[in-house]
Amino acid sequence: MIQTIETTAQQAPELLRNDIDQRLTKLRPMSTPVDQISRFTLARPVNSMKVGYYALAMRDFEAKVTANFLQTNLTENNQEISIKVNKPSAFDVSETVMISGAVDSNGEPIVFYVMSIDRAKMTLNLRPINPVIDSDNGASSVPRIEKGSTVMRMGRAAGELDVQTGQYESLPEKKENYCQIFKTQIEQSTLLTRSNKEVGWTMSDQEEVAIYDMRLGMERSFLFGHKAVINDPVKKCDVYLTGGIWNQAGKEANYSDETISAKEWTEIMAMAFTGHNSGKRKVLIGGTKLIERLSLLTTESTQRLMMSEQKVTRWGLDFSEMISKFGTLYVIHSEVLDSCGHTDDGIIIDPEYLTKYVHTPFKAETLDLRTSGQRNTEAVVMTEISCLVLRHPMAHCRIIKTDKQD
């Protein structure tokens, strides 16, 4: 059997796609960090322009008390209390919880056992395991619990004979994105007299500029695109537009001052790295003004705790490294954010949960426009049909300056 590009494409399509992606990632990678990182991730092939995927979700692990709870004495016949919370769905019967500020006689946090839940009345019926004990008469009680206190879910406590528990109700959320057809075309009077197939293809200066421009456009769409299907009355067909990852991020951190303090940035890092057990190494893609502000974090303590002079190279990109107690951030500047009106902003992404869906891998096709009678030229059309999704929205965070001037 003769091995050809056609048979290879049928039997091992990833071989060709990986070869081309490796070449593309060497073409001005610093200008398109999102597209660059996505080409190093495992692409998932799809056969439809509509991509359905499940965004990983975790059940909330905390809620807030919505009404003051007054100190209550417990009796032999009444060992339970009821508190109102804003999210009773975060809890289930037989789980244990702690409530901020509620401590026993020894100053230790009181642990409560969830006896029942009234979801209609937004209340939890709890049994305190280690209530406050009066040293004089031995009476037990539960201290005052302020409105706004945090109720934290702990481990479930099953009985010896228990076989089943309440059903875990936090299912992955079904979401959808559209693949977009990205194209660019170049023409010249004589286009490569020798064979120019997908594997081993070389880029002329004109092709390089065209592909670079195409990747910049893809970068903007991957970041800020709006998912939609429109009908083009001229072409008389539907056009699919992909949704960007900017609005897919599940968290948002804000700052308002012209300078960012070490305390404020530490709080942003805490938000980005905590809450849903995501990775401890993430990427910050920032606009010019945001990177400028971060560069001013030059106090001795900040240098020691957060700023590293060492450059880190990953995915073919050169990053500055920021280290905190919460995790490590790879920082890179992007002029794409500037051009899209986000010079003060940035986005923190977890590459482990950045997924690329590919309908048609990047390919180059030669068009003979002379033979078809259109123009006395030949053309090369480069096409990719793909989209990006964030599979764990709460692992990603937008950073937005809130007092922008119009």
Side-chain angles (χ1 to χ4, degrees):
M1 178 179 178
I2 300 176
Q3 190 71 26
T4 64
I5 291 177
E6 288 72 22
T7 58
T8 302
Q10 294 174 3
Q11 298 176 17
E14 289 297 308
L15 181 63
L16 299 186
R17 189 190 71 81
N18 291 341
D19 180 84
I20 293 174
D21 274 349
Q22 289 174 11
R23 294 171 183 270
L24 289 176
T25 56
K26 297 177 182 178
L27 181 62
R28 306 186 193 182
M30 299 295 288
S31 299
T32 54
V34 173
D35 180 64
Q36 180 77 4
I37 294 172
S38 73
R39 294 187 185 278
F40 281 86
T41 62
L42 179 62
R44 300 191 177 189
V46 292
N47 297 320
S48 172
M49 296 293 285
K50 297 181 180 180
V51 173
Y53 67 99
Y54 286 97
L56 301 181
M58 294 182 64
R59 183 156 57 98
D60 290 321
F61 54 83
E62 65 179 41
K64 297 295 184 181
V65 176
T66 56
N68 289 331
F69 174 83
L70 302 180
Q71 180 174 344
T72 301
N73 293 325
L74 303 175
T75 66
E76 183 177 351
N77 297 324
N78 184 13
Q79 295 287 318
E80 298 180 21
I81 66 169
S82 295
I83 61 170
K84 289 186 173 295
V85 295
N86 64 336
K87 291 185 291 186
S89 59
F91 309 97
D92 202 356
V93 173
S94 81
E95 290 179 334
T96 55
V97 300
M98 285 195 309
I99 304 176
S100 60
V103 295
D104 65 10
S105 307
N106 299 318
E108 298 180 1
I110 298 177
V111 175
F112 297 86
Y113 180 81
V114 181
M115 300 294 296
S116 61
I117 302 173
D118 190 331
R119 302 190 189 280
K121 295 182 179 180
M122 308 284 283
T123 59
L124 301 179
N125 298 316
L126 309 174
R127 179 175 179 174
I129 307 304
N130 52 323
V132 176
I133 304 297
D134 191 304
S135 58
D136 295 330
N137 55 26
S140 59
S141 64
V142 175
R144 176 185 176 91
I145 299 174
E146 298 290 341
K147 178 181 178 180
S149 298
T150 299
V151 184
M152 180 67 64
R153 176 161 55 88
M154 300 169 68
R156 187 186 298 275
E160 181 179 356
L161 301 180
D162 288 345
V163 176
Q164 295 182 323
T165 68
Q167 182 179 355
Y168 188 85
E169 297 177 348
S170 182
L171 298 177
E173 183 181 356
K174 182 67 179 290
K175 293 191 175 183
E176 185 180 69
N177 201 358
Y178 297 151
C179 288
Q180 184 167 323
I181 302 176
F182 300 99
K183 281 183 177 288
T184 188
Q185 178 173 324
I186 59 173
E187 297 183 27
Q188 55 189 28
S189 57
T190 303
L191 181 67
L192 300 182
T193 57
R194 61 183 182 274
S195 176
N196 184 28
K197 303 301 183 184
E198 285 194 24
V199 176
W201 61 288
T202 59
M203 289 180 286
S204 65
D205 292 339
Q206 188 177 359
E207 288 173 320
E208 181 178 333
V209 172
I211 294 174
Y212 173 62
D213 181 76
M214 177 181 177
R215 290 189 71 190
L216 281 175
M218 294 173 69
E219 183 83 357
R220 296 184 183 105
S221 293
F222 285 155
L223 274 167
F224 302 108
H226 182 79
K227 179 175 72 74
V229 181
I230 62 173
N231 184 269
D232 189 321
V234 177
K235 300 176 182 177
K236 297 182 180 179
C237 66
D238 288 337
V239 177
Y240 287 82
L241 306 177
T242 193
I245 63 174
W246 180 264
N247 291 321
Q248 295 178 32
K251 294 181 180 179
E252 181 175 310
N254 301 114
Y255 72 97
S256 57
D257 296 333
E258 286 302 317
T259 58
I260 301 178
S261 66
K263 178 178 182 298
E264 190 172 24
W265 183 246
T266 300
E267 292 172 350
I268 293 176
M269 294 280 274
M271 174 184 287
F273 283 99
T274 62
H276 286 78
N277 295 324
S278 58
K280 294 303 180 182
R281 293 181 180 273
K282 299 188 179 184
V283 174
L284 167 62
I285 302 171
T288 298
K289 293 297 183 182
L290 176 62
I291 300 300
E292 283 182 3
R293 294 182 177 98
L294 296 183
S295 299
L296 296 177
L297 292 173
T298 56
T299 65
E300 181 180 351
S301 61
T302 303
Q303 285 278 5
R304 184 174 66 254
L305 295 175
M306 300 185 65
M307 304 296 289
S308 173
E309 297 297 330
Q310 182 179 0
K311 294 292 183 180
V312 178
T313 300
R314 295 197 64 182
W315 308 288
L317 299 169
D318 294 328
F319 296 95
S320 298
E321 191 176 51
M322 300 189 74
I323 302 172
S324 76
K325 300 297 184 181
F326 305 101
T328 300
L329 207 58
Y330 298 132
V331 182
I332 190 169
H333 170 238
S334 173
E335 292 188 22
V336 168
L337 269 72
D338 297 348
S339 65
C340 294
H342 291 275
T343 185
D344 295 292
D345 309 328
I347 183 170
I348 297 175
I349 62 174
D350 188 336
E352 293 183 9
Y353 295 105
L354 175 68
T355 301
K356 184 174 186 177
Y357 287 93
V358 179
H359 181 283
T360 301
F362 190 98
K363 64 179 182 180
E365 296 178 299
T366 300
L367 303 180
D368 188 353
L369 301 181
R370 183 188 300 107
T371 302
S372 63
Q374 297 181 55
R375 284 185 296 278
N376 189 27
T377 62
E378 293 177 337
V380 170
V381 176
M382 284 157 282
T383 305
E384 178 175 304
I385 306 176
S386 60
C387 66
L388 296 184
V389 302
L390 301 180
R391 291 179 48 248
H392 191 342
M394 299 304 292
H396 316 270
C397 180
R398 293 180 298 274
I399 302 174
I400 298 179
K401 189 171 186 293
T402 56
D403 59 343
K404 293 180 181 178
Q405 299 296 323
D406 294 332

